[in-house]
Amino acid sequence: MTACKLGVTIVRYRVDAPTDDPGKELVSCRWDNNTGDHQCRVENGYDLNHNIEDHPTLEIPSVGNRSAGFYMCYVIPPGETEPHICKLTSIARVVRGTSPIPDERCETRLSVPLITAAIVFMALLIITILVVVSIVYRRQIQRFACRDSRQEDVEMAELNPLIPANQEHTECAAQVTCPHENTEIEDVVKDFRLDAEVYKRMMQLLERKMTDEHTKLFSIDAISLPRALARNDCLVVVLGSNTLKIVLVTLQGQNIDSSKMEIHTITTAIRQGSGEELFQFIASRINDFVGTLNLGGGTIPLLFVFSFPCKHERNTEQDLSRVQLARWTKGFDCRDILGQNLSQLLHTALGNNTVCDLDIKVIVNDVVDMLVSAVYKDASCKVAIVLEDGFNACYVQGENNAGSQSANNIAHSVWVYTTTEVGSFGDCRCLDLYLTDFDTDLDINSVNSREQIMEKMVSMLYIGELVRLVLVKLTQKKLLFKSVTQEGALYKADSFKQDFIPLVERDTDGNFQNTKFVLRMLEVVSYTDEDCATVQYVCRLISERAAYLAATVVAALVKHSGQSDVTVAVEESLYRSHPRFHQLLRAKTRELLNDEFQFNIKPFPNERGIGAALLAAAT
């Protein structure tokens, strides 16, 4: 056979059929004589378009199973004597074939119609290549926006098996879209979408707010964290939004043990009663816990982690127990003790009824407690944010006096820790333009209306209620759940728990198993898969906005630090329960910083009280 410089060569191959399918099958392979590209076709029109490999096996599907499985076509290119194999995708029976039989001549000239067809083909090919390149480029940009260090991905994989260490989080840069392209649903939720420029302006405003006393309440100066800790037992009391936790923390060397603890639920009556009743409740639980321990004689340091805005009273000595209550948040409303000294309130409530002598030594905000603990473990950590039990951020500035340090030693550092109380950002009405009707409804019906505006848009403590309000609105407009009784849980405030959002977002297989469980908890008994997709869409949209708003705070604090490489501490439990949130947070922060600063968002255990214990050891 003569090879052609132009045109194509068509070669037909006879192939033995399987024993259960008598007869012969013919395969035609069309070769481009210039490029070597080929196209093989079974006589019934089945295309075989794949790469050539040097392999002696011939495989082809039977007549009745032509589209299944993996098979190959056995070919000899024009001008060659050695056979090649066309490797194809699909599996079928292996059939040994005969030698190729040339069946048609080589065309040595190209006709005008063929030239025209070739030109059209090349034009289409160029257009296709440009489209593919454009798509690949956009995907690369998404990957660039969402990429982070390999170490961060490994940490994420250890925390949550749903996110492999080598997974590229391209999803985080993609905008959530309505699953049914339903314009009526989109009209209800569209205000949750904010333009990129809005987030950028928020970040810039937050940068300027860093010096505002209204968002800079609690500051601790000149704290020195030791390399090694003397043996010491501390009693830590952590007051959160719904729980009171009491922990015995033991420090020794570089080891910290906080395994002994009790957790108590705080009722609405206590949260909204008098301050005296609240602190009597706290003192009673402290006494009960101490009674179960064998602490021996002597004085035990009592440390109070207070998850509410408070202000450190400045004095010449570093007394971390002199702290005033600035205001209540998170549904608390014990207004009779606003502005009072927290140490004195707790001391009065404890009285002389304790089993051992308790010395109130440290009172700190929860985010300060978290950052101190993070700095002890990782000296590069300069920012911490809490998102689950409210929303707040803390940053540290100062000078590292450690010099060189070994891998097993913790640096001896001097820092100034400042909490921003950024949850109150928006109280001055600077965010009013971006509030949805659902944000307004949630705020009006909260205990502390017109306060903690940003916290109510971001914190896991509130966004579940935002989702519920949206679902109720969609139901009332007959866009969701065709038959739901208003006596059901869906219509009851705070029935959509914060854990429901990540649970719903984990549904990725189309079965909506988690979403259906949540709907049953909300006493919704009649729903369709389309309803489930809408619920998931609402959850994803609201958590996306929360993550992007949190990113404006992270970006502002990273820039405010003035350092080139900053580690940001985030609650580990948030990473475990809501893996997508961290992807969104990281991607938007990188976008806002425009790659001018390097940062690492790192999960740290929710070990409330460890930072307070370290501060007690350092003072």
Side-chain angles (χ1 to χ4, degrees), residues 93-284:
R93 304 182 182 103
V94 175
V95 183
R96 299 296 174 182
T98 63
S99 298
I101 304 174
D103 193 62
E104 296 184 17
R105 333 185 272 284
C106 169
E107 296 287 344
T108 57
R109 290 197 180 185
L110 295 173
S111 64
V112 172
L114 185 58
I115 294 175
T116 303
I119 293 173
V120 172
F121 173 77
M122 291 301 296
L124 292 174
L125 180 62
I126 291 171
I127 293 172
T128 302
I129 291 173
L130 290 175
V131 171
V132 171
V133 168
S134 175
I135 293 172
V136 171
Y137 176 75
R138 286 199 299 269
R139 288 182 177 177
Q140 286 297 107
I141 292 297
Q142 287 181 338
R143 289 175 185 145
F144 180 77
C146 296
R147 81 185 194 286
D148 209 346
S149 65
R150 182 180 299 273
Q151 180 61 34
E152 238 183 309
D153 287 335
V154 170
E155 289 166 355
M156 278 304 304
E158 292 174 350
L159 288 171
N160 197 315
L162 296 175
I163 304 179
N166 61 350
Q167 176 179 334
E168 300 214 22
H169 308 304
T170 55
E171 174 193 24
C172 61
Q175 191 178 52
V176 179
T177 56
C178 186
H180 327 300
E181 298 183 356
N182 188 316
T183 56
E184 290 182 284
I185 292 176
E186 192 59 36
D187 284 343
V188 173
V189 301
K190 63 183 179 181
D191 290 340
F192 283 104
R193 298 189 187 279
L194 299 177
D195 294 337
E197 190 62 30
V198 171
Y199 291 113
K200 185 176 180 180
R201 288 200 299 270
M202 285 187 185
M203 178 195 70
Q204 293 167 345
L205 183 57
L206 282 162
E207 286 184 82
R208 295 196 295 271
K209 283 285 185 180
M210 293 304 166
T211 57
D212 188 340
E213 288 302 315
H214 186 58
T215 57
K216 184 181 178 182
L217 288 176
F218 193 95
S219 181
I220 302 174
D221 297 335
I223 295 301
S224 173
L225 299 185
R227 293 172 182 267
L229 304 166
R231 165 77 189 198
N232 192 20
D233 290 327
C234 302
L235 194 64
V236 181
V237 178
V238 183
L239 181 64
S241 60
N242 296 298
T243 60
L244 175 72
K245 183 167 72 171
I246 306 173
V247 190
L248 179 65
V249 177
T250 301
L251 309 176
Q252 185 169 15
Q254 292 180 14
N255 298 320
I256 303 174
D257 177 36
S258 59
S259 57
K260 295 180 180 179
M261 72 173 68
E262 285 184 356
I263 299 177
H264 303 277
T265 299
I266 304 175
T267 64
T268 301
I270 293 175
R271 289 199 303 271
Q272 298 179 13
S274 69
E276 180 182 357
E277 291 171 337
L278 172 64
F279 276 85
Q280 284 294 340
F281 169 79
I282 295 171
S284 173

Side-chain angles (χ1 to χ4, degrees), residues 54-89:
D54 185 11
H55 193 283
T57 305
L58 171 63
E59 301 177 14
I60 194 165
S62 66
V63 174
N65 192 27
R66 214 175 283 281
S67 62
F70 176 89
Y71 50 88
M72 299 182 179
C73 62
Y74 183 73
V75 300
I76 299 179
E80 296 185 24
T81 58
E82 295 297 323
H84 289 248
I85 294 297
C86 302
K87 187 175 182 181
L88 307 158
T89 61

Side-chain angles (χ1 to χ4, degrees), residues 152 155 366-378 380-387 391-396 550 554 557-558 566-575 585 599-606 608:
E152 238 183 309
E155 289 166 355
D366 56 343
V367 71
V368 176
D369 172 73
M370 178 181 177
L371 182 55
V372 172
S373 176
V375 169
Y376 183 78
K377 297 173 183 177
D378 183 350
S380 70
C381 190
K382 300 295 185 293
V383 176
I385 59 173
V386 293
L387 292 143
F391 178 51
N392 203 355
C394 179
Y395 63 92
V396 59
V554 174
L557 289 173
V558 169
V566 176
T567 295
V568 180
V570 180
E571 299 130 308
E572 182 179 279
S573 58
L574 177 64
Y575 272 45
L585 177 65
F599 68 94
N600 175 24
I601 298 179
K602 184 176 181 180
F604 284 87
N606 297 49
R608 293 289 187 265

